[in-house]
Amino acid sequence: MGFPAGRHRVYLDHAATTPMDEAVLAAMAPYNSDMFANPASLHHPGVQARLAMQKATQRFAAALNTLPQSLIWTSGGTESNNLVIQGLCARYRREHGRTGHLIVSSVEHSAVLAVAEHLQHTQGWQVSVLPV
């Protein structure tokens, strides 16, 4: 996508997505071209991918001052939202023996609103959507 000469692109949605840092792009390049493989596979390329993921997980955990096993990789924001919200609600239900009250704002991402609605309709959670 080009812009007319003399015009500059102004992107104001960095909360949704942002350009990849050049160092990250360079580090990922081999795994997006020559060294791609399923890290759960038993063949050599899969083992190499798994080792690379383990190394990256260790580096990331060290940067966050946490344990590597405390990190969970997901494919994106929607999966992450679902994992966290449903996981916390399941834990609450397990510990308290009942559902509770989930409060979200009306300007939440659709992934958050959808999982709240799902919990309300399928598991009986009380959901309040607060206005801004």
Side-chain angles (χ1 to χ4, degrees):
M1 175 170 85
F3 288 91
R7 296 262 173 121
H8 298 281
R9 179 180 181 190
V10 176
Y11 183 75
L12 300 174
D13 196 14
H14 287 275
T17 190
T18 191
M20 192 176 294
D21 182 271
E22 292 296 326
V24 174
L25 188 60
M28 289 290 300
Y31 301 98
N32 289 322
S33 57
D34 300 329
M35 298 173 61
F36 63 91
N38 180 348
S41 296
L42 299 177
H43 50 64
H44 182 72
V47 171
Q48 294 305 111
R50 183 170 48 260
L51 292 172
M53 283 193 67
Q54 289 171 346
K55 182 178 177 182
T57 300
Q58 290 169 351
R59 288 182 66 192
F60 193 61
L64 294 174
N65 195 30
T66 192
L67 298 172
Q69 58 268 31
S70 70
L71 301 178
I72 299 172
W73 296 104
T74 65
S75 64
T78 298
E79 183 181 354
S80 298
N81 290 339
N82 273 275
L83 181 65
V84 169
I85 296 168
Q86 290 194 56
L88 288 172
C89 288
R91 180 178 176 180
Y92 181 91
R93 187 174 200 160
R94 215 174 28 253
E95 291 177 357
H96 298 280
R98 60 181 175 81
T99 60
H101 187 178
L102 187 60
I103 302 170
V104 296
S105 83
S106 61
V107 294
E108 291 291 346
H109 189 277
S110 60
V112 171
L113 295 172
V115 73
E117 184 177 338
H118 169 78
L119 288 165
Q120 181 178 33
H121 294 300
T122 64
Q123 297 182 23
W125 280 79
Q126 181 182 356
V127 175
S128 294
V129 180
L130 299 181
V132 178

